[in-house]
Amino acid sequence: METSEIIKKVRKVEIKTRGLSQNIFAGQYHSAFKGRGMAFSEVREYQYGDDVRDIDWNVTARFHHPYVKVFEEERELTVMLLVDVSGSLDFGTIHQTKRDMVTEIAATLAFSAIQNNDKIGVIFFSDKIEKYILPKKGRKHILYIIRELLDFKPQSRRTDVGMAVSYLTRMMKRRCTAFLLSDFYTRDDFYKEMQIANSKHDMIAIQVYDQRAKMLPDIGLMKVRDAETGHEMIIDTSSAKFRHAHTAYWLEREEDLRRLFAMSNVDWTSIATNEDFAKALMLLFKKRA
C-alpha cells in the first residue's frame, strides 16, 4: 500500500474512532475498567474505626500520635490489544472485512485508553507472535498502532489463540486490561491459557464474524477456500440440508466459545461485520460497570 494511501486511511480511521471514543465511551470506559489497585495518597490522624493495619508507625513515632496511611484507587491502566492477523480475518461479504472491523474496534479502544491517561500496547498474532508494540501513551503512538493495523503483513496465515494468550501472561508482569480481538477460527482449545491469564489480568474477548459464515445464501455451486490452509472445495448452497448443517455447525462453535469464556470468567461479545460495533461495546461496558 502506498504511503499516501496509508496516511489517508489512518486519518479516516482516526476521525471515526476518536469521535466514537470521545462522544460515546468517555464515561463508560472509565467506569468499566478500574485501576489495577490501591496507591498511597497521604497520611492523616487516626480516627475511631480506622484499620490499625494502616497505621504509619514512622509518622506516629515522630508526632507521638497515631497516623494512618490513606490509599486511593490507582486509575492509570496498561491496556493491551491482542489482535488476530491470521488469514481468515481478510474475509468479508457485506460491508467490510473482519480485519477492517477489528482495526476500527482496536483504534476506538486505543483512543478511549489515552483519554483516560492509560498506556496502550499491541500484540499481533497468527499461530506465532508476529509483532509486539510496547505500551505507551499519546496520539502519535496510537497513529502508529493504526498504521500497523492497516498495513501489517503477517508471516503466517494460521491461528493459535492459546499461544498468544500465554505470551501475554509471560510478558506482562503487572496487571493489565487485555482485549482479545479475533474471529476465533482456531482448532486449539485455549481454555487453560485464558483461565491463567484472567487470574493475573483483566481479560475481555471480542469476536468479529461475517454473517455469511453463519448463514449461507442459496446461490448454487460455489468454490470456497480456507484462508488459513489454502484448501479449496466446491459446495452446493442450493441444498437446504447443507445450509442447515452449516448453520448448526456455526451455532455449536459459538456455544463452545460461550462455555469456554464462562468457565474462564471472561467477559465477551460477538459482533458481525454488518452490525454497529459501538452498540456492542457500549453494552459490554455497561455490563462491567
Side-chain angles (χ1 to χ4, degrees):
M1 197 181 295
E2 295 291 332
T3 302
S4 59
E5 187 181 350
I6 282 281
I7 292 172
K8 287 179 182 177
K9 286 198 170 187
V10 169
R11 182 61 179 154
K12 185 177 178 180
V13 171
E14 180 193 10
I15 290 171
K16 178 178 180 179
T17 58
R18 185 171 62 177
L20 279 173
S21 62
Q22 288 175 339
N23 300 327
I24 301 176
F25 301 128
Q28 291 290 339
Y29 174 93
H30 182 93
S31 59
F33 305 103
K34 306 296 192 298
R36 61 173 173 262
M38 304 302 289
F40 171 73
S41 176
E42 60 182 350
V43 294
R44 61 165 171 76
E45 289 190 27
Y46 177 86
Q47 298 174 3
Y48 178 77
D50 285 339
D51 193 330
V52 293
R53 291 173 296 183
D54 291 336
I55 292 177
D56 187 320
W57 295 106
N58 290 330
V59 177
T60 297
R62 191 182 312 151
F63 291 100
H64 307 290
H65 188 79
Y67 278 77
V68 294
K69 295 177 181 178
V70 178
F71 296 85
E72 62 182 20
E73 185 183 46
E74 196 173 7
R75 240 314 304 170
E76 182 182 297
L77 293 172
T78 295
V79 177
M80 290 300 300
L81 304 177
L82 281 72
V83 180
D84 184 351
V85 291
S86 61
S88 61
L89 271 292
D90 291 326
F91 183 73
T93 60
I94 302 177
H95 294 292
Q96 60 181 346
T97 66
K98 289 181 281 185
R99 192 179 306 279
D100 290 336
M101 177 167 275
V102 164
T103 295
E104 292 188 357
I105 293 173
T108 301
L109 292 171
F111 278 115
S112 297
I114 64 163
Q115 284 168 25
N116 282 272
N117 201 36
D118 297 336
K119 293 179 182 178
I120 184 82
V122 184
I123 296 171
F124 291 102
F125 72 92
S126 54
D127 61 349
K128 63 181 181 178
I129 301 303
E130 297 276 356
K131 188 180 183 71
Y132 173 52
I133 300 176
L134 283 167
K136 293 181 182 178
K137 298 180 183 180
R139 178 176 175 269
K140 184 177 179 181
H141 180 60
I142 289 186
L143 294 183
Y144 168 64
I145 288 174
I146 294 174
R147 179 173 180 138
E148 288 297 299
L149 286 164
L150 287 168
D151 200 40
F152 186 78
K153 302 293 189 295
Q155 294 181 12
S156 175
R157 297 185 65 80
R158 296 176 181 265
T159 314
D160 189 337
V161 175
M163 174 278 309
V165 174
S166 291
Y167 181 81
L168 172 79
T169 304
R170 293 195 309 272
M171 284 297 295
M172 301 303 294
K173 304 304 179 185
R174 301 186 69 178
R175 182 175 176 82
C176 73
T177 296
F179 293 91
L180 175 59
L181 289 85
S182 175
D183 57 7
F184 296 103
Y185 274 27
T186 179
R187 293 174 175 82
D188 64 308
D189 180 1
F190 52 94
Y191 161 67
K192 183 178 179 181
E193 291 85 352
M194 284 295 288
Q195 187 181 44
I196 293 171
N198 200 46
S199 67
K200 182 179 180 183
H201 305 294
D202 183 11
M203 299 290 298
I204 303 99
I206 300 175
Q207 180 193 30
V208 172
Y209 70 95
D210 188 274
Q211 188 66 21
R212 291 292 183 251
K214 183 177 182 180
M215 298 182 66
L216 285 173
D218 181 358
I219 56 174
L221 295 176
M222 182 171 66
K223 179 188 280 189
V224 294
R225 180 176 181 272
D226 189 312
E228 300 196 3
T229 66
H231 176 70
E232 293 183 348
M233 63 184 297
I234 303 294
I235 61 174
D236 183 8
T237 62
S238 65
S239 167
K241 183 178 180 181
F242 180 82
R243 295 197 308 273
H244 291 157
H246 176 84
T247 299
Y249 173 70
W250 164 266
L251 293 174
E252 183 181 343
R253 284 185 65 252
E254 289 298 283
E255 178 59 24
D256 288 343
L257 269 181
R258 186 201 64 75
R259 191 180 301 113
L260 184 152
F261 292 130
M263 288 170 59
S264 52
N265 200 30
V266 170
D267 290 329
W268 81 299
T269 188
S270 185
I271 312 170
T273 54
N274 62 326
E275 293 178 344
D276 182 357
F277 73 83
K279 289 182 179 178
L281 291 184
M282 283 290 285
L283 288 172
L284 178 65
F285 288 6
K286 285 180 179 178
K287 184 170 70 173
R288 294 175 54 89

